[in-house]
PDB file of all heavy atoms in Angstrom:
ATOM      1  N   GLY A 430     101.018 112.100  99.031  1.00 89.00           N
ATOM      2  CA  GLY A 430     102.102 112.390  98.093  1.00 89.00           C
ATOM      3  C   GLY A 430     102.923 113.580  98.533  1.00 89.00           C
ATOM      4  O   GLY A 430     102.763 114.687  98.001  1.00 89.00           O
ATOM      5  N   TYR A 431     103.808 113.370  99.501  1.00 84.00           N
ATOM      6  CA  TYR A 431     104.662 114.438 100.023  1.00 84.00           C
ATOM      7  C   TYR A 431     106.126 114.230  99.599  1.00 84.00           C
ATOM      8  O   TYR A 431     106.677 114.981  98.811  1.00 84.00           O
ATOM      9  CB  TYR A 431     104.574 114.494 101.549  1.00 84.00           C
ATOM     10  CG  TYR A 431     103.416 115.290 102.113  1.00 84.00           C
ATOM     11  CD1 TYR A 431     102.281 115.567 101.354  1.00 84.00           C
ATOM     12  CD2 TYR A 431     103.440 115.746 103.430  1.00 84.00           C
ATOM     13  CE1 TYR A 431     101.216 116.280 101.899  1.00 84.00           C
ATOM     14  CE2 TYR A 431     102.389 116.460 103.974  1.00 84.00           C
ATOM     15  CZ  TYR A 431     101.280 116.724 103.209  1.00 84.00           C
ATOM     16  OH  TYR A 431     100.241 117.426 103.751  1.00 84.00           O
ATOM     17  N   SER A 432     106.768 113.201 100.154  1.00 84.00           N
ATOM     18  CA  SER A 432     108.215 113.027  99.982  1.00 84.00           C
ATOM     19  C   SER A 432     108.600 112.763  98.532  1.00 84.00           C
ATOM     20  O   SER A 432     107.845 112.149  97.760  1.00 84.00           O
ATOM     21  CB  SER A 432     108.712 111.869 100.848  1.00 84.00           C
ATOM     22  OG  SER A 432     108.562 112.166 102.217  1.00 84.00           O
ATOM     23  N   GLU A 433     109.807 113.216  98.182  1.00 81.00           N
ATOM     24  CA  GLU A 433     110.385 112.982  96.861  1.00 81.00           C
ATOM     25  C   GLU A 433     111.834 112.547  97.031  1.00 81.00           C
ATOM     26  O   GLU A 433     112.410 112.714  98.116  1.00 81.00           O
ATOM     27  CB  GLU A 433     110.330 114.260  96.015  1.00 81.00           C
ATOM     28  CG  GLU A 433     108.922 114.739  95.729  1.00 81.00           C
ATOM     29  CD  GLU A 433     108.879 115.988  94.857  1.00 81.00           C
ATOM     30  OE1 GLU A 433     109.964 116.430  94.380  1.00 81.00           O
ATOM     31  OE2 GLU A 433     107.790 116.519  94.645  1.00 81.00           O
ATOM     32  N   PRO A 434     112.460 112.002  95.992  1.00 83.00           N
ATOM     33  CA  PRO A 434     113.869 111.600  96.114  1.00 83.00           C
ATOM     34  C   PRO A 434     114.771 112.736  96.587  1.00 83.00           C
ATOM     35  O   PRO A 434     115.721 112.513  97.337  1.00 83.00           O
ATOM     36  CB  PRO A 434     114.222 111.142  94.702  1.00 83.00           C
ATOM     37  CG  PRO A 434     112.928 110.648  94.142  1.00 83.00           C
ATOM     38  CD  PRO A 434     111.893 111.580  94.698  1.00 83.00           C
ATOM     39  N   GLY A 435     114.491 113.974  96.172  1.00 73.00           N
ATOM     40  CA  GLY A 435     115.301 115.110  96.590  1.00 73.00           C
ATOM     41  C   GLY A 435     114.622 115.976  97.631  1.00 73.00           C
ATOM     42  O   GLY A 435     115.091 117.073  97.930  1.00 73.00           O
ATOM     43  N   ALA A 436     113.509 115.504  98.170  1.00 67.00           N
ATOM     44  CA  ALA A 436     112.762 116.283  99.155  1.00 67.00           C
ATOM     45  C   ALA A 436     112.089 115.324 100.120  1.00 67.00           C
ATOM     46  O   ALA A 436     110.879 115.155 100.106  1.00 67.00           O
ATOM     47  CB  ALA A 436     111.722 117.171  98.464  1.00 67.00           C
ATOM     48  N   GLY A 437     112.915 114.678 100.947  1.00 62.00           N
ATOM     49  CA  GLY A 437     112.372 113.723 101.893  1.00 62.00           C
ATOM     50  C   GLY A 437     111.728 114.440 103.052  1.00 62.00           C
ATOM     51  O   GLY A 437     110.538 114.732 103.047  1.00 62.00           O
ATOM     52  N   SER A 438     112.523 114.765 104.064  1.00 62.00           N
ATOM     53  CA  SER A 438     111.997 115.499 105.208  1.00 62.00           C
ATOM     54  C   SER A 438     111.880 116.992 104.927  1.00 62.00           C
ATOM     55  O   SER A 438     111.248 117.712 105.688  1.00 62.00           O
ATOM     56  CB  SER A 438     112.892 115.267 106.433  1.00 62.00           C
ATOM     57  OG  SER A 438     112.850 113.918 106.834  1.00 62.00           O
ATOM     58  N   ASP A 439     112.472 117.451 103.839  1.00 66.00           N
ATOM     59  CA  ASP A 439     112.424 118.874 103.487  1.00 66.00           C
ATOM     60  C   ASP A 439     111.325 119.079 102.451  1.00 66.00           C
ATOM     61  O   ASP A 439     111.573 119.150 101.254  1.00 66.00           O
ATOM     62  CB  ASP A 439     113.782 119.316 102.935  1.00 66.00           C
ATOM     63  CG  ASP A 439     113.838 120.822 102.670  1.00 66.00           C
ATOM     64  OD1 ASP A 439     112.886 121.529 103.066  1.00 66.00           O
ATOM     65  OD2 ASP A 439     114.806 121.273 102.046  1.00 66.00           O
ATOM     66  N   LEU A 440     110.091 119.160 102.929  1.00 69.00           N
ATOM     67  CA  LEU A 440     108.942 119.207 102.029  1.00 69.00           C
ATOM     68  C   LEU A 440     108.966 120.417 101.114  1.00 69.00           C
ATOM     69  O   LEU A 440     108.474 120.356  99.982  1.00 69.00           O
ATOM     70  CB  LEU A 440     107.651 119.202 102.861  1.00 69.00           C
ATOM     71  CG  LEU A 440     106.336 119.194 102.098  1.00 69.00           C
ATOM     72  CD1 LEU A 440     106.239 117.970 101.195  1.00 69.00           C
ATOM     73  CD2 LEU A 440     105.156 119.247 103.063  1.00 69.00           C
ATOM     74  N   ALA A 441     109.550 121.532 101.567  1.00 68.00           N
ATOM     75  CA  ALA A 441     109.558 122.745 100.755  1.00 68.00           C
ATOM     76  C   ALA A 441     110.422 122.612  99.499  1.00 68.00           C
ATOM     77  O   ALA A 441     110.373 123.472  98.631  1.00 68.00           O
ATOM     78  CB  ALA A 441     110.045 123.931 101.583  1.00 68.00           C
ATOM     79  N   ALA A 442     111.191 121.524  99.401  1.00 74.00           N
ATOM     80  CA  ALA A 442     112.068 121.337  98.236  1.00 74.00           C
ATOM     81  C   ALA A 442     111.418 120.507  97.132  1.00 74.00           C
ATOM     82  O   ALA A 442     112.093 120.100  96.193  1.00 74.00           O
ATOM     83  CB  ALA A 442     113.377 120.675  98.679  1.00 74.00           C
ATOM     84  N   VAL A 443     110.104 120.267  97.210  1.00 82.00           N
ATOM     85  CA  VAL A 443     109.468 119.422  96.206  1.00 82.00           C
ATOM     86  C   VAL A 443     109.627 120.011  94.809  1.00 82.00           C
ATOM     87  O   VAL A 443     109.607 121.225  94.620  1.00 82.00           O
ATOM     88  CB  VAL A 443     107.964 119.199  96.506  1.00 82.00           C
ATOM     89  CG1 VAL A 443     107.766 118.496  97.828  1.00 82.00           C
ATOM     90  CG2 VAL A 443     107.190 120.497  96.452  1.00 82.00           C
ATOM     91  N   SER A 444     109.774 119.103  93.828  1.00 85.00           N
ATOM     92  CA  SER A 444     109.935 119.547  92.443  1.00 85.00           C
ATOM     93  C   SER A 444     108.870 118.992  91.507  1.00 85.00           C
ATOM     94  O   SER A 444     108.828 119.368  90.338  1.00 85.00           O
ATOM     95  CB  SER A 444     111.324 119.133  91.923  1.00 85.00           C
ATOM     96  OG  SER A 444     111.491 117.728  91.981  1.00 85.00           O
ATOM     97  N   THR A 445     108.010 118.088  91.997  1.00 91.00           N
ATOM     98  CA  THR A 445     106.891 117.623  91.179  1.00 91.00           C
ATOM     99  C   THR A 445     106.061 118.838  90.776  1.00 91.00           C
ATOM    100  O   THR A 445     105.747 119.689  91.609  1.00 91.00           O
ATOM    101  CB  THR A 445     106.024 116.621  91.962  1.00 91.00           C
ATOM    102  OG1 THR A 445     106.795 115.453  92.209  1.00 91.00           O
ATOM    103  CG2 THR A 445     104.769 116.250  91.195  1.00 91.00           C
ATOM    104  N   THR A 446     105.702 118.924  89.505  1.00 91.00           N
ATOM    105  CA  THR A 446     105.012 120.102  88.991  1.00 91.00           C
ATOM    106  C   THR A 446     103.590 119.763  88.555  1.00 91.00           C
ATOM    107  O   THR A 446     103.265 118.614  88.261  1.00 91.00           O
ATOM    108  CB  THR A 446     105.754 120.692  87.782  1.00 91.00           C
ATOM    109  OG1 THR A 446     105.776 119.726  86.711  1.00 91.00           O
ATOM    110  CG2 THR A 446     107.176 121.079  88.148  1.00 91.00           C
ATOM    111  N   ALA A 447     102.786 120.785  88.515  1.00 92.00           N
ATOM    112  CA  ALA A 447     101.445 120.685  87.944  1.00 92.00           C
ATOM    113  C   ALA A 447     101.167 121.985  87.192  1.00 92.00           C
ATOM    114  O   ALA A 447     101.432 123.070  87.703  1.00 92.00           O
ATOM    115  CB  ALA A 447     100.398 120.457  89.026  1.00 92.00           C
ATOM    116  N   ARG A 448     100.652 121.860  85.991  1.00 92.00           N
ATOM    117  CA  ARG A 448     100.308 123.039  85.192  1.00 92.00           C
ATOM    118  C   ARG A 448      98.854 122.925  84.747  1.00 92.00           C
ATOM    119  O   ARG A 448      98.328 121.831  84.564  1.00 92.00           O
ATOM    120  CB  ARG A 448     101.225 123.153  83.968  1.00 92.00           C
ATOM    121  CG  ARG A 448     101.156 121.961  83.034  1.00 92.00           C
ATOM    122  CD  ARG A 448     102.028 122.122  81.804  1.00 92.00           C
ATOM    123  NE  ARG A 448     102.026 120.916  80.985  1.00 92.00           N
ATOM    124  CZ  ARG A 448     101.068 120.588  80.122  1.00 92.00           C
ATOM    125  NH1 ARG A 448     100.024 121.401  79.967  1.00 92.00           N
ATOM    126  NH2 ARG A 448     101.127 119.470  79.422  1.00 92.00           N
ATOM    127  N   ARG A 449      98.226 124.083  84.590  1.00 93.00           N
ATOM    128  CA  ARG A 449      96.844 124.088  84.128  1.00 93.00           C
ATOM    129  C   ARG A 449      96.789 123.806  82.634  1.00 93.00           C
ATOM    130  O   ARG A 449      97.571 124.339  81.849  1.00 93.00           O
ATOM    131  CB  ARG A 449      96.185 125.431  84.428  1.00 93.00           C
ATOM    132  CG  ARG A 449      95.705 125.583  85.849  1.00 93.00           C
ATOM    133  CD  ARG A 449      94.544 124.661  86.196  1.00 93.00           C
ATOM    134  NE  ARG A 449      93.366 124.927  85.413  1.00 93.00           N
ATOM    135  CZ  ARG A 449      92.406 125.788  85.759  1.00 93.00           C
ATOM    136  NH1 ARG A 449      92.518 126.461  86.903  1.00 93.00           N
ATOM    137  NH2 ARG A 449      91.356 125.975  85.002  1.00 93.00           N
ATOM    138  N   ASP A 450      95.846 122.961  82.276  1.00 92.00           N
ATOM    139  CA  ASP A 450      95.575 122.662  80.876  1.00 92.00           C
ATOM    140  C   ASP A 450      94.063 122.599  80.724  1.00 92.00           C
ATOM    141  O   ASP A 450      93.447 121.546  80.918  1.00 92.00           O
ATOM    142  CB  ASP A 450      96.213 121.330  80.471  1.00 92.00           C
ATOM    143  CG  ASP A 450      95.957 120.986  79.003  1.00 92.00           C
ATOM    144  OD1 ASP A 450      95.726 121.922  78.201  1.00 92.00           O
ATOM    145  OD2 ASP A 450      95.964 119.789  78.665  1.00 92.00           O
TER     146      ASP A 450
END
Side-chain angles (χ1 to χ4, degrees):
Y431 276 21
S432 295
E433 297 182 5
S438 295
D439 185 9
L440 182 59
V443 298
S444 59
T445 294
T446 62
R448 60 178 175 81
R449 280 293 297 270
D450 180 25

